[in-house]
Amino acid sequence: MPIDRANSARLVAPPRAGRPWGSIVLFLGPALCFYFAFIIYPVLVTFYNSLHTLRMDLGMVYQYVGLQHFREILLEDEVFWKSARNAMTWAVVAPCLDIPLALILAFTLHSKIPFARFFRTVWFTPLLMSYPVVGVIWLWVYNYDWGMANLTLRFLGFGDYAQAWLASPTTALPALILVTTWMFAGFNMVVMLAAIHAIPMEYIEAARVDGAGPWHRLFHIMIPLLRPTIANLIILDVIGKMKQFALVWVMTRGGPMWGTETVATYVIKRAFEWKTLDLGYPSAIAVLWFVIIFGLSIGLTRFLQRREALEF
Amino acid sequence: MRPRLTKAILMIPVLLYTAFSAGPYVWTAMMSLRTTDEIYRSHYGLPIPPHFWKFYTAWTEFGYATYFKNSAIVTVSAVALITVVGAMAGYGFARRRFAFRLREPLFLLLFLSIMFPPQIMILSLFQILITYGLFNTLAGLILVYVATELPVTIYLLRAFFAQIPVELEEAARIDGCTDWSMFWRVMFPIARPAVATTMILNFIYFWNEFLYAVVFITQQEIRTLPLAIQFLVSDQYFDIGMLATGLMIATLPVLLMYLFMSEWFVKGMTAGAVKG
């Protein structure tokens, strides 16, 4: 034993004193340059910009305004509150759809139905397309006259419910949320399926021997064991939906009547489409949303993990 | 008898969901082989006869050759760059030999930035790219892409390198290898499965990326495919047939690869979620 320890000590700390700074710079340098130049520095600049007005039409001259942008956003900006509400709705509703659907699909595939591999491959496919492609396809699906959505309703005898889904402020956001579910249910299903396969068979066998029926095994053994995975997927889904930009940009541009505006699209609109031409104000929105997303992801991680700890 | 019945009943929701999942894309694929006139006569007709020439027309007359080329340049260069830079950093963060005082805090910062929303960088990146003459260039877009995916890439590769026993590299070092040649000759080849996973993840992300492209590219000649599609929707709103062909051109490279390596794709796309 003492010999082993001596050996491993020599392996960990090379006999030559000092660190191999040459190699450290060589291996970490390029990545850190990228990281600081294109992520950390821009983040700091955005924080700095949020305290200034920065008119693009006036040669980008900085004018210090303190916290005025933040006051305006929180107290006067109705569009911000609408877009924040839409993004929050998306972040709450989407996981409620995606995760249970993915669980059902995963358990169905797990029960050894024929062609399981084929189904898995097909269900996962929507995730591989870009948002503009998905957006265009679903613009067609929601077309009033010949889209698949209304066609199916008419076929099933619910023709009265057929409508221009993206044209009304009340149906446009749910219509977009359904599109993200179409994209992400398969992804969540695959992750869940992998976690189900990782459950030791002995647990389930033991429960079966003890007389637990299939439903009992599902709800009292398998789902509790999947909790860490489910928690992870919920966090990913919530954060992903809080950042939603591309689908909205392609399908509705935030309309009708701000009905699908998200904070992400509003930031870009304020910066490049509105006649204000000021980079400071949208930067302040970005900072505010960044703080909210960051707090939410840390809070969610804590909350879901603590509940998990309590369960066991 | 009963298990078979249960399975038959299970197949009903499975088939319904499959119709929901595949229906829109299959429909688009059929439209891509039909002319717009045919489509307006019957939106759900089969592509008989199939008009494969539409792909040629889209490619040559509607600019898809250019957009495809731009997307390919951006994706291939960004994947190559991020793989090299990310693998080196993943290794540098994994080994105790390269530890220094600020390394762990740096890694934590890197890990946290996986969650950063792009909006927190995009406006100032716009300023920075203009300052350095990189606005409206594919090079600028490539640099931004590499930077934004570096945190996940480094995170995944570090986890893999950390599992490889140190003894392997000690042996190479005793044979007189420097850190640099040892990394490329020994460690990098061992890490191939993990590197392939991150390459696929990044490939899909770069090929499909839209937000940065919208803000940083305003010239038509250097639009990438996702960006081009967004403009084509408004420009040729009524030419559904040609647009459908364009959508197929934009998605087929990825889907064909997926068809042949679906296991790798699934692994790559879910790598971040499992460890999260």
Side-chain angles (χ1 to χ4, degrees):
Chain A
M1 281 314 260
I3 299 167
D4 272 345
R5 194 178 298 158
N7 256 336
S8 58
R10 197 155 50 85
L11 286 178
V12 171
R16 264 173 297 130
R19 298 196 174 85
W21 282 111
S23 297
I24 292 176
V25 171
L26 200 59
F27 283 115
L28 294 179
L32 291 179
C33 283
F34 263 104
Y35 182 63
F36 279 95
F38 292 101
I39 295 191
I40 296 302
Y41 175 62
V43 169
L44 296 177
V45 171
T46 304
F47 272 88
Y48 181 75
N49 287 355
S50 71
L51 304 174
H52 297 78
T53 48
L54 194 55
R55 291 282 297 271
M56 281 185 267
D57 52 337
L58 302 178
M60 297 275 210
V61 180
Y62 278 91
Q63 197 186 352
Y64 182 75
V65 295
L67 294 173
Q68 192 197 310
H69 290 320
F70 292 94
R71 201 177 306 126
E72 199 181 322
I73 293 167
L74 293 173
L75 299 179
E76 291 160 35
D77 194 338
E78 272 179 53
V79 180
F80 170 76
W81 284 105
K82 275 184 183 146
S83 56
R85 200 183 311 134
N86 288 337
M88 289 303 235
T89 310
W90 207 322
V92 172
V93 174
C96 294
L97 291 174
D98 297 356
I99 306 291
L101 182 61
L103 257 177
I104 295 171
L105 293 174
F107 279 120
T108 316
L109 281 199
H110 184 66
S111 62
K112 303 207 175 56
I113 56 162
F115 309 115
R117 263 179 74 97
F118 167 77
F119 290 125
R120 199 192 64 161
T121 309
V122 171
W123 297 347
F124 191 77
T125 309
L127 190 71
L128 302 171
M129 300 173 206
S130 65
Y131 277 109
V133 169
V134 171
V136 176
I137 294 178
W138 280 83
L139 278 176
W140 293 336
V141 171
Y142 287 133
N143 183 289
Y144 179 77
D145 295 314
W146 43 265
M148 277 179 147
N150 285 345
L151 198 84
T152 312
L153 285 176
R154 289 184 193 119
F155 177 77
L156 295 174
F158 296 108
D160 294 347
Y161 292 97
Q163 53 189 294
W165 297 97
L166 297 174
S168 142
T170 48
T171 55
L173 186 63
L176 292 193
I177 295 178
L178 184 69
V179 179
T180 52
T181 298
W182 177 76
M183 283 184 87
F184 283 92
F187 165 80
N188 287 306
M189 184 276 300
V190 165
V191 176
M192 243 108 50
L193 195 62
I196 293 174
H197 283 310
I199 296 176
M201 279 313 285
E202 297 89 65
Y203 290 11
I204 296 156
E205 273 307 302
R208 215 169 57 91
V209 170
D210 287 347
W215 290 110
H216 189 89
R217 290 203 298 271
L218 184 63
F219 283 104
H220 294 276
I221 315 244
M222 296 183 64
I223 291 182
L225 282 171
L226 293 177
R227 238 211 170 105
T229 309
I230 295 175
N232 253 347
L233 289 175
I234 290 175
I235 295 166
L236 270 183
D237 214 1
V238 170
I239 305 300
K241 299 311 178 268
M242 300 272 289
K243 305 183 201 169
Q244 191 51 253
F245 169 83
L247 197 64
V248 176
W249 201 252
V250 176
M251 288 184 75
T252 60
R253 278 283 164 133
M257 302 288 292
W258 318 110
T260 57
E261 194 79 68
T262 64
V263 178
T265 58
Y266 183 46
V267 167
I268 301 298
K269 274 190 187 172
R270 272 306 281 245
F272 301 110
E273 294 203 334
W274 286 32
K275 295 281 178 277
T276 45
L277 290 168
D278 166 33
L279 278 187
Y281 190 82
S283 297
I285 304 174
V287 166
L288 203 64
W289 203 239
F290 168 77
V291 171
I292 290 174
I293 289 187
F294 213 74
L296 194 74
S297 44
I298 289 170
L300 262 180
T301 311
R302 283 265 168 89
F303 174 70
L304 289 170
Q305 276 172 359
R306 186 174 308 151
R307 264 184 62 183
E308 189 186 299
L310 283 176
E311 282 289 320
F312 284 103
Chain B
M1 202 59 201
R2 259 196 74 211
R4 275 180 91 178
L5 189 70
T6 321
K7 254 169 215 175
I9 293 170
L10 272 179
M11 283 309 270
I12 296 170
V14 165
L15 290 175
L16 278 177
Y17 186 77
T18 307
F20 169 68
S21 180
Y25 190 71
V26 171
W27 180 38
T28 309
M30 290 199 302
M31 288 200 284
S32 76
L33 293 171
R34 307 172 69 217
T35 64
T36 301
D37 282 346
E38 286 172 347
I39 293 170
Y40 273 115
R41 252 175 274 140
S42 148
H43 283 90
Y44 295 89
L46 293 171
I48 304 167
H51 299 302
F52 287 106
W53 54 264
K54 283 181 64 201
F55 280 80
Y56 181 77
T57 312
W59 188 261
T60 51
E61 284 170 33
F62 289 89
Y64 281 98
T66 313
Y67 307 137
F68 194 96
K69 192 192 74 194
N70 294 336
S71 267
I73 291 174
V74 169
T75 307
V76 171
S77 349
V79 167
L81 200 55
I82 197 171
T83 303
V84 171
V85 174
M88 293 195 315
Y91 176 66
F93 275 115
R95 281 295 181 244
R96 235 158 112 185
R97 184 176 144 76
F98 303 124
F100 55 95
R101 203 191 312 159
L102 281 177
R103 196 181 70 161
E104 294 320 304
L106 264 175
F107 183 73
L108 182 68
L109 187 66
L110 205 70
F111 173 69
L112 288 176
S113 52
I114 294 176
M115 293 187 285
F116 284 10
Q119 281 72 32
I120 195 67
M121 299 157 316
I122 199 162
L123 301 182
S124 31
L125 274 174
F126 167 75
Q127 266 178 291
I128 293 165
L129 291 185
I130 288 181
T131 313
Y132 292 100
L134 288 167
F135 182 69
N136 248 329
T137 64
L138 292 181
L141 200 61
I142 292 167
L143 293 176
V144 170
Y145 281 2
V146 170
T148 50
E149 280 293 282
L150 258 182
V152 188
T153 308
I154 293 176
Y155 175 71
L156 292 172
L157 290 177
R158 185 189 93 126
F160 192 88
F161 280 121
Q163 293 168 4
I164 305 176
V166 190
E167 285 76 12
L168 275 172
E169 47 180 285
E170 286 303 327
R173 221 170 257 127
I174 288 163
D175 290 344
C177 275
T178 59
D179 284 336
W180 178 253
S181 62
M182 191 278 306
F183 174 72
W184 291 110
R185 275 196 226 153
V186 183
M187 298 309 275
F188 191 76
I190 295 176
R192 257 182 318 207
V195 169
T197 308
T198 58
M199 281 175 89
I200 287 172
L201 177 70
N202 290 326
F203 173 83
I204 308 267
Y205 171 78
F206 297 148
W207 185 263
N208 289 339
E209 205 286 330
F210 180 65
L211 172 56
Y212 291 112
V214 162
V215 176
F216 300 150
I217 303 288
T218 56
Q219 274 170 359
Q220 190 182 348
E221 316 85 69
I222 54 170
R223 278 178 196 160
T224 56
L225 278 168
L227 192 54
I229 285 166
Q230 189 230 332
F231 281 96
L232 289 167
V233 184
S234 39
D235 291 353
Q236 16 167 305
Y237 186 76
F238 295 104
D239 195 354
I240 299 171
M242 201 42 84
L243 205 50
T245 310
L247 297 187
M248 295 311 285
I249 291 178
T251 48
L252 275 179
V254 173
L255 290 191
L256 286 178
M257 284 164 70
Y258 175 59
L259 205 63
F260 293 108
M261 328 193 288
S262 66
E263 289 309 309
W264 278 102
F265 269 64
V266 168
K267 224 167 130 190
M269 296 295 283
T270 55
V274 182
K275 302 250 162 131

